Amino acid sequence: MAITVKNIIPRKFAENSQAAQYTASGCKTVIDKFTATNNSAANVSLSINLIPSGGSASTANRVLNTRLIAVGECYICPEIVGQVIEDGGFISTLASAASSLTISASGREIV
């Protein structure tokens, strides 16, 4: 078994439409940290889904539900830390405003 520590979502703006951010490909991934920083002048909400292979975003796989992130706040998203993404599964996010939240995640890929 090989374990690779990796920045699974390099820092980027979260989109204001449901968007896949990371897919576990040929591995299982454990999420170690996920942050969202509000760089805008208004409060912005964020939703995060952990979607199984072949699935789509729904309330059944939502881990973080429209969490309001205040201006200047860096939210560490404890709801997603420690979660496991099986091979082919993915992380999808939805922000209430584009170019407002900088997201980033790190984790361990296990092969």
Side-chain angles (χ1 to χ4, degrees):
M1 176 181 352
I3 299 173
T4 304
V5 177
K6 185 175 179 179
N7 188 10
I8 60 176
I9 303 174
R11 285 162 194 80
K12 63 171 292 213
F13 283 121
E15 295 85 349
N16 64 339
S17 58
Q18 194 75 42
Q21 303 296 346
Y22 168 80
T23 301
S25 182
C27 64
K28 179 185 295 193
T29 302
V30 178
I31 301 166
D32 292 325
K33 191 162 195 172
F34 191 110
T35 60
T37 303
N38 186 344
N39 301 297
S40 72
N43 295 337
V44 179
S45 65
L46 177 66
S47 293
I48 303 173
N49 294 69
L50 293 181
I51 304 168
S53 180
S56 60
S58 71
T59 55
N61 54 39
R62 189 166 300 142
V63 179
L64 182 68
N65 189 28
T66 59
R67 166 56 158 87
L68 193 64
I69 300 174
V71 175
E73 179 183 5
C74 178
Y75 184 64
I76 298 177
C77 305
E79 300 87 349
I80 195 168
V81 172
Q83 298 280 352
V84 176
I85 305 167
E86 298 294 333
D87 187 18
F90 59 101
I91 300 171
S92 183
T93 63
L94 173 62
S96 63
S99 303
S100 297
L101 295 177
T102 301
I103 60 172
S104 179
S106 60
R108 290 167 280 153
E109 292 183 333
I110 304 164
V111 180

